[in-house]
Amino acid sequence: MPQTRSDDLAPLSVSGTPEEKFREFLEIRGEKLTEPRRVLVRHIFSSHKHFDADELVRDLHEAGHAISRATVYRTLRLLVEAGLLRELRLTNRSAYEHDYGYPAHDHMHCTVCNRVIEFRNEDIRQTRDAISRAHGFRPSGHRFVIEGVCSECSRAHTPRRRLDLI
Amino acid sequence: MPQTRSDDLAPLSVSGTPEEKFREFLEIRGEKLTEPRRVLVRHIFSSHKHFDADELVRDLHEAGHAISRATVYRTLRLLVEAGLLRELRLTNRSAYEHDYGYPAHDHMHCTVCNRVIEFRNEDIRQTRDAISRAHGFRPSGHRFVIEGVCSECSRAHTPRRRLDLI
DNA sequence: CTATGTGCAAAAACTTTGCACGTAC
DNA sequence: GTACGTGCAAAGTTTTTGCACATAG
């Protein structure tokens, strides 16, 4: 029973850790891998897959890392640029998920309990590329979100409350 | 040459105006169709298709309608609930587009000039429904956005600047 | 008449920025 | 040593809310 991912989505083994990939990215741009950045990457890639800036700050502080909100926002942007994170924008608050060493996938978003369910489907990318080609558009990615009501909420009289977790 | 819509996307003739549909919606909920709401619906459905809250307020004020920002936000939410508008969320600021009397379609988003290009594709809905069925998910809609670089920006040395229009 | 909506201004929610100090390379 | 990053607090953006007054039904 899929919760936030289906069970066949085993991580790919990719060369290098997220931290290494981030260092490479920064090196190319002449920027630095600092302690706060290292802590952030490690934390993000050693834990849950969906989060927002606020949760991340709270988690870090609870774990004893006094990393400022500003640095979190700045680093999240870098990680998206580096291709390590994906920005979701399901609501007006940005949510992030791993985008490295993890197969491409899309999402169903339950508008009752706010849960995010992942799925993989091969057709979507092909459709995307065909459409792009027809319009002379150079695709760099896509977002496919099915909005609706998840099976639990369709059934349940007491659905999980909204915003439990994204 | 598609700009914000392809030329085969002629509006359906639908029974009733957006204003009428909104009134029905409000009636069912025991709410009122007031003058500001009427002005808003008329304005929105007699003009451009993509806009955000801020543009809308400016437009209205320029047209001499002194409708408050709060009312605009409140009414936009109602119109989305009523199925008359669709919320896009391409950036952290919500954008809206007509979703009534206009065939379903999806979007390409140029990350260079921020332009939105519409397209229609039959496969997407079928894929969406098949995936939903397989997960016991009841779809109410979807968002499919292809991110990338539009043909003009791929070609041009001086692309349209970002935020020209959404 | 009365439940609902509006405008205003204030607050909340989210994100970015400026600057003095600190640190990776 | 120097260019780049950090934390802090302040400001910027976008959206929501509380409340006194207005109005649709």
Side-chain angles (χ1 to χ4, degrees):
Chain A
M1 151 205 65
Q3 264 207 0
T4 55
R5 38 168 296 202
S6 51
D7 296 320
D8 56 352
L9 295 183
L12 292 174
S13 12
V14 195
S15 59
T17 60
E19 183 179 336
E20 281 166 17
K21 203 186 168 202
F22 193 33
R23 185 161 32 70
E24 284 168 28
F25 169 82
L26 292 170
E27 235 158 48
I28 290 167
R29 320 214 314 185
E31 301 181 8
K32 294 168 185 171
L33 180 55
T34 60
E35 187 58 17
R37 288 177 176 179
R38 205 188 328 265
V39 169
L40 270 166
V41 180
R42 283 184 184 168
H43 178 88
I44 287 169
F45 284 91
S46 69
S47 51
H48 59 332
K49 289 196 351 69
H50 293 99
F51 60 93
D52 61 39
D54 211 52
E55 284 179 84
L56 186 50
V57 172
R58 255 185 295 121
D59 276 19
L60 287 164
H61 285 194
E62 281 167 17
H65 302 294
I67 295 176
S68 73
R69 197 167 286 276
T71 296
V72 167
Y73 274 106
R74 287 187 278 233
T75 306
L76 283 174
R77 229 196 304 172
L78 286 173
L79 289 169
V80 169
E81 285 189 67
L84 289 164
L85 289 182
R86 195 144 79 122
E87 199 172 355
L88 289 184
R89 293 189 204 284
L90 298 173
T91 70
N92 261 31
R93 150 189 253 160
S94 284
Y96 298 87
E97 65 170 14
H98 298 189
D99 190 22
Y100 179 65
Y102 202 74
H105 59 272
D106 295 287
H107 302 90
M108 290 180 280
H109 180 207
C110 177
T111 51
V112 175
C113 66
N114 207 31
R115 189 194 317 207
V116 176
I117 299 151
E118 296 184 3
F119 64 86
R120 278 216 287 160
N121 183 292
E122 298 301 332
D123 302 343
I124 292 163
R125 193 196 175 94
Q126 290 182 24
T127 304
R128 173 193 99 180
D129 291 343
I131 292 165
S132 299
R133 216 175 300 119
H135 289 259
F137 193 86
R138 293 199 305 112
S140 60
H142 68 263
R143 280 178 293 147
F144 184 40
V145 181
I146 305 178
E147 302 282 359
V149 183
C150 72
S151 52
E152 279 193 31
C153 289
S154 288
R155 197 183 318 126
H157 292 263
T158 53
R160 288 173 57 186
R161 71 187 174 292
R162 284 206 108 220
L163 298 170
D164 252 11
L165 223 208
I166 170 151
Chain B
M1 150 204 65
Q3 263 206 1
T4 55
R5 39 165 296 202
S6 50
D7 296 318
D8 56 352
L9 296 182
L12 292 173
S13 12
V14 195
S15 59
T17 60
E19 183 178 338
E20 281 165 18
K21 206 191 166 197
F22 194 34
R23 185 162 34 69
E24 284 169 29
F25 169 82
L26 292 170
E27 234 158 49
I28 291 168
R29 320 212 316 182
E31 301 181 9
K32 295 168 183 171
L33 180 54
T34 61
E35 186 58 17
R37 287 177 177 180
R38 204 186 331 263
V39 169
L40 269 165
V41 179
R42 284 185 184 165
H43 177 88
I44 287 168
F45 284 90
S46 69
S47 52
H48 59 332
K49 289 193 354 67
H50 293 99
F51 60 92
D52 60 40
D54 210 52
E55 284 179 83
L56 186 52
V57 172
R58 255 184 292 122
D59 276 18
L60 288 164
H61 285 195
E62 281 166 17
H65 302 292
I67 296 176
S68 72
R69 195 167 287 277
T71 296
V72 167
Y73 275 104
R74 287 185 278 232
T75 306
L76 284 174
R77 232 197 300 173
L78 287 173
L79 289 169
V80 170
E81 285 189 68
L84 289 165
L85 290 182
R86 196 145 78 119
E87 197 172 358
L88 288 183
R89 293 188 203 285
L90 297 172
T91 69
N92 262 31
R93 149 189 255 162
S94 283
Y96 298 86
E97 66 171 11
H98 298 189
D99 190 21
Y100 179 63
Y102 201 74
H105 59 272
D106 294 287
H107 301 90
M108 291 180 279
H109 179 208
C110 176
T111 51
V112 175
C113 66
N114 207 32
R115 189 193 319 208
V116 176
I117 299 151
E118 295 184 4
F119 64 85
R120 279 214 290 157
N121 183 291
E122 298 302 330
D123 302 343
I124 292 163
R125 194 195 173 93
Q126 290 182 23
T127 304
R128 173 193 98 178
D129 292 342
I131 292 165
S132 299
R133 214 174 303 116
H135 288 260
F137 193 86
R138 292 199 306 114
S140 60
H142 69 264
R143 280 177 293 149
F144 183 42
V145 181
I146 306 178
E147 303 283 359
V149 182
C150 72
S151 53
E152 280 194 30
C153 289
S154 289
R155 196 185 317 126
H157 292 264
T158 51
R160 291 174 56 187
R161 70 187 176 295
R162 284 206 108 221
L163 298 171
D164 251 10
L165 225 208
I166 170 152

